Amino acid sequence: MPVQIEIRDRIAVVTIDNPPVNAMSRAVRQGLSDAITQTEANPEITAVVVTCAGRTFVAGADIREFGKPPQEPHLPDLLDRIEGARKPWIAAIHGNALGGGLELAMACRFRLASATARLGLPEVTLGLIPGAGGTVRLPRLVPSDKALEMIATGRPISANIAHRVGLIDAITSGDLLTTALELAHQADTVSPTLSRPVRSETSAGSLNAQIANIQTRTEGQAAPEAAILALRNALTLPPTDALKKERDLFLSLKDGPQSGAMRHIFFAERATLQSIRETLADPLPVQRVGIVGGGTMGAGIAAACLLAGIAVSLVERDTEAARAGANRVTAILDNSLKRGKLTKATHNERLEAFHAGDQLLSLADADLVIEAVFEDISVKKDVLAQLDHIVRPETVLATNTSYLDVSAIAASTQHPERVIGLHFFAPAHIMKLLEIVTPKGLSARTLSTGVTLAKQLGKIPVLAGVCDGFIANRMMSAYRREAEYMLEDGALPWQIDHAMESFGFPMGLFRMQDLAGLDISWAMRKRQAATRDPAQRYVEVGDLLCGAGHFGRKTGRGYYVYDDVGTPFPSLEAEALIHAESARKGIDRREISESEIMDRLLTAMQSEGRRILDEGIASSANDIDVVMVNAFGFPRWKGGPMYCSASD
Ligand code: 3H9
């Protein structure tokens, strides 16, 4: 039974028990409906406490039911009954109260939360808006700017903030249920949420400015626009009308393409390890990580580990380089402190768990060592071969490479079964994706340990087989190649970028390459030149730009030219060079429309994706979508290239 009732001292305790996250499935809704009927009918009961078993309060409606027609009892009706009940309901919140879970809490008379709870309306991240009164009840509890922020960004807030802004009535660090039972005796003095006026301390001007800002940031997405509309309705219409309009908006979004795509990605991100779930066992506990290389990537990985509470020893080639690496790490931690992500005490604790030096021997007691040195296979092989003699026999050795042959790197050690590829994305302490590259012969324990580290770091692990570029960079190479063909065929970099940005990418490919530095991929192309298939079409524009010293943003020139504050303008020089290349190859340039640009890019991604699947490099098309969304900003509300092709 997912909902149980127990009576304690005339108070009914209604416990929802629907692991893992107490999602509001049909069975839970039915259980709650029965609980309302029973508690209303029982004269002995004076109030009701609703609480949850397990690790969290209700984390929302059951998203798995969204593909099916809605089934009674509907959540909005239930919440109306709870709010209108003669026996006041008190929400006792621990863990997360999200979406429908927070809507349940807001329909209660009184909200008590444990100090570590988090509360939010993340529907917008699933292409939805709250559909059970959230947009109408929230601005009656918190100021309308806070309500708008929560509904339109979907970001949860801490119990402390929730208390400060009025979303919850009390916080406890003691026993949640005991406190809720004490408070239940006073709950009938509080008026129901919908009977309260909206909180109007935010001025119309500042709300409009906030709305304009959200609209700019979320262009092309239906849910934030609907969230704004729903909030405006809540602020201006009688509650019953606003509720009806909210429900209509919710239902039309739920059946729309963007929510379908975002739900696809939500589940795909959680299913990336499905194919190996059974084999994951007995990981080596990772408490101390060694990192070789303190450049941007090594420092980012070190910071990611420290932020996750893992001790780090960083090694560089000499003391000066070690000091520079340590400074990079410290700067990231300082920034986290400044932005309120770390308390002063935790910041100090993390710094104490960090050591930087120039001796590989200092990594002897590490549980896992990640090399993040220069992207050159002989340098990487050398580092791993040395580490092999230094670390304990069970220590896992990881190479952070974005495309090199991990099997060959593993073979440079005496124990290749303990070598794994961990491909982080820059900035490593922020980007959620981690490609876990699995060379043949890898031991189950090494794989489990790599996966466990990914989880400890809060990353989304995606498994990739060994090949040049794994999943991410192979996909990127394929659509970059197509984009370069289009340069010669008739399009210009800014037209391609505009098409991608209109599709929903945060930044077009050429602007992104300028930002990353054109010299990086140039160096890679030079290394690959000897093995390149001479029959394959090759576009030299990037090489020619680099040859002229135009490395992108950092030299002020690339595909674009940049002014002092970094604003990009189309580069006439790049344009002339592109035209000259078309002419040299005898290509008759023609107009290429934005829709053709996007069609060609998507087709290139999908064809490469299918090859990656055929070769067994990725274990599912969903993993490829997860990579494209999390590594390259493919718009989440379009679900990823493989999803786009399946839903065409
Ligand atoms: C909504 O509420 C609409 C209402 O306004 C209106 C209704 C009328 N449903 O993430 P995890 C599964 S929309 C079904 O790994 P964590 C998840 O797939 C909803 N399943 O755990 C996974 O399954 P599996 C608004 C769900 O501890 C397992 O639970 N709410 C749901 O890292 C564990 O998940 C949200 O958008 C769900 N709602 O994080 C919240 N949620 O083990 C969505 C999770 O088979 N959920 N599952 O792979 C989350 O953000 C995170 O799951 C949470 C826990 C923070 C709760």
Side-chain angles (χ1 to χ4, degrees):
M1 289 283 283
V3 179
Q4 278 136 27
I5 309 180
E6 183 197 347
I7 300 175
R8 291 206 204 172
D9 188 22
R10 306 200 66 196
I11 311 286
V13 178
V14 172
T15 305
I16 300 172
D17 187 2
N18 185 27
V21 296
N22 290 313
M24 196 78 83
S25 63
R26 203 203 74 79
V28 171
R29 298 197 303 277
Q30 187 57 56
L32 277 179
S33 173
D34 295 344
I36 302 166
T37 309
Q38 281 178 41
T39 52
E40 286 293 275
N42 187 339
E44 267 184 43
I45 294 171
T46 58
V48 183
V49 170
V50 58
T51 187
C52 286
R55 58 181 161 120
T56 181
F57 194 72
V58 175
D62 189 334
I63 308 167
R64 288 174 210 277
E65 291 180 357
F66 284 178
K68 307 170 196 157
Q71 278 188 299
E72 289 188 341
H74 301 304
L75 190 57
D77 302 336
L78 270 185
L79 300 192
D80 284 350
R81 285 177 65 202
I82 288 176
E83 183 159 35
R86 282 178 294 115
K87 319 289 170 71
W89 282 54
I90 293 97
I93 300 165
H94 74 290
N96 293 291
L98 299 176
L102 180 55
E103 290 175 299
L104 164 65
M106 290 193 289
C108 291
R109 257 349 134 77
F110 197 93
R111 284 155 293 283
L112 164 73
S114 63
T116 51
R118 296 182 67 75
L119 304 95
L121 292 172
E123 284 86 343
V124 78
T125 63
L126 296 167
L128 298 167
I129 61 164
T135 66
V136 185
R137 288 192 177 93
L138 187 62
R140 291 173 155 76
L141 295 169
V142 310
S144 42
D145 58 337
K146 192 72 196 169
L148 177 63
E149 182 194 311
M150 287 181 70
I151 298 165
T153 68
R155 270 195 297 275
I157 57 175
S158 65
N160 269 330
I161 295 178
H163 191 221
R164 204 169 65 222
V165 295
L167 179 54
I168 56 175
D169 304 287
I171 300 190
T172 179
S173 319
D175 184 69
L176 185 65
L177 187 56
T178 311
T179 317
L181 288 168
E182 282 161 19
L183 290 166
H185 294 288
Q186 316 149 23
D188 59 353
T189 57
V190 186
S191 54
T193 310
L194 281 182
S195 70
R196 304 185 197 180
V198 290
R199 288 186 55 180
S200 55
E201 46 275 59
T202 316
S203 74
S206 92
L207 201 64
N208 285 338
Q210 193 184 349
I211 287 173
N213 188 292
I214 292 166
Q215 284 170 327
T216 313
R217 280 190 291 112
T218 59
E219 212 181 325
Q221 296 184 54
E225 198 54 50
I228 291 166
L229 184 58
L231 188 87
R232 282 200 195 278
N233 291 336
L235 297 179
T236 52
L237 300 178
T240 41
D241 296 352
L243 284 172
K244 159 116 193 28
K245 285 186 184 288
E246 176 201 76
R247 184 75 181 156
D248 291 346
L249 282 168
F250 169 81
L251 290 174
S252 79
L253 288 170
K254 178 174 83 68
D255 297 333
Q258 294 195 356
S259 178
M262 288 172 107
R263 278 159 17 217
H264 157 74
I265 283 293
F266 176 88
F267 287 118
E269 285 175 344
R270 284 159 178 80
T272 55
L273 300 176
Q274 212 153 33
S275 61
I276 54 155
R277 235 170 225 185
E278 254 89 87
T279 61
L280 289 178
D282 196 23
L284 185 75
V286 180
Q287 281 153 6
R288 177 166 292 278
V289 164
I291 294 172
V292 186
T296 310
M297 194 46 102
I301 300 171
C305 292
L306 290 166
L307 289 168
I310 302 170
V312 171
S313 296
L314 186 135
V315 175
E316 259 291 359
R317 60 182 181 284
D318 53 41
T319 45
E320 200 180 314
R323 197 172 313 116
N327 287 345
R328 284 187 198 101
V329 175
T330 314
I332 298 174
L333 294 186
D334 289 352
N335 197 32
S336 297
L337 173 68
K338 209 162 73 197
R339 294 174 54 223
K341 305 253 172 213
L342 285 182
T343 62
K344 185 75 197 133
T346 327
H347 176 261
N348 290 343
E349 223 174 79
R350 301 295 188 252
L351 282 179
E352 271 164 34
F354 175 54
H355 175 264
D358 63 353
Q359 295 297 316
L360 278 183
L361 280 174
S362 68
L363 304 182
D365 63 346
D367 304 310
L368 184 147
V369 181
I370 305 171
E371 72 69 22
V373 297
F374 187 59
E375 189 76 346
D376 178 315
I377 195 155
S378 52
V379 181
K380 287 185 184 280
K381 278 180 171 178
D382 182 50
V383 169
L384 256 68
Q386 289 187 56
L387 286 169
D388 202 23
H389 297 292
I390 292 172
V391 298
R392 298 193 310 262
E394 70 276 18
T395 296
V396 167
L397 297 179
T399 169
N400 171 64
T401 169
S402 43
Y403 62 92
L404 294 174
D405 182 344
V406 179
S407 298
I409 296 173
S412 66
T413 69
Q414 306 273 316
H415 303 284
E417 72 285 352
R418 63 156 154 178
V419 177
I420 194 167
L422 294 180
H423 176 205
F424 288 84
F425 292 78
H429 61 292
I430 291 176
M431 296 289 277
K432 292 289 258 180
L433 186 68
L434 181 62
E435 266 186 308
I436 299 194
V437 188
T438 55
K440 282 210 172 56
L442 177 75
S443 77
R445 193 166 203 214
T446 305
L447 179 56
S448 300
T449 307
V451 165
T452 307
L453 176 73
K455 296 267 172 191
Q456 277 177 275
L457 300 182
K459 304 281 182 207
I460 302 169
V462 171
L463 298 178
V466 176
C467 70
D468 195 343
F470 320 127
I471 303 174
N473 281 331
R474 253 183 85 163
M475 291 295 287
M476 154 70 100
S477 296
Y479 71 87
R480 189 176 57 206
R481 200 161 43 235
E482 191 61 33
E484 288 171 350
Y485 293 166
M486 285 191 273
L487 286 187
E488 286 185 342
D489 293 345
L492 291 168
W494 31 99
Q495 290 165 339
I496 295 174
D497 283 356
H498 190 262
M500 290 180 77
E501 286 161 19
S502 305
F503 182 79
F505 280 88
M507 192 182 279
L509 182 63
F510 292 101
R511 208 145 67 79
M512 199 178 88
Q513 291 186 74
D514 265 4
L515 191 66
L518 300 181
D519 51 329
I520 313 251
S521 49
W522 188 37
M524 186 176 88
R525 287 194 300 274
K526 282 196 280 195
R527 279 199 295 275
Q528 289 171 339
T531 52
R532 190 178 303 128
D533 176 3
Q536 198 186 7
R537 181 174 173 187
Y538 182 75
V539 177
E540 288 182 33
V541 174
D543 298 349
L544 293 169
L545 282 173
C546 287
H550 300 338
F551 295 158
R553 176 79 181 78
K554 61 184 162 195
T555 55
R557 271 172 192 281
Y559 289 99
Y560 294 82
V561 285
Y562 297 84
D563 65 12
D564 293 348
V565 288
T567 315
F569 299 94
S571 159
L572 296 179
E573 208 174 325
E575 184 171 345
L577 203 152
I578 291 164
H579 278 275
E581 278 300 288
S582 303
R584 185 177 69 82
K585 291 192 175 172
I587 298 169
D588 231 349
R589 291 179 67 82
R590 65 177 177 87
E591 188 85 4
I592 303 183
S593 69
E594 291 215 342
S595 74
E596 185 184 340
I597 290 173
M598 268 329 292
D599 276 354
R600 284 178 64 170
L601 291 178
L602 281 174
T603 306
M605 291 176 203
Q606 288 153 359
S607 308
E608 190 65 24
R610 278 189 287 274
R611 275 192 289 274
I612 286 173
L613 283 173
D614 288 347
E615 292 168 29
I617 299 300
S619 37
S620 87
N622 290 357
D623 285 0
I624 297 175
D625 286 339
V626 169
V627 166
M628 285 300 299
V629 166
N630 288 286
F632 303 126
F634 192 101
R636 185 170 278 269
W637 62 97
K638 300 235 162 110
M642 308 312 277
Y643 178 82
C644 282
S645 92
S647 50
D648 268 350

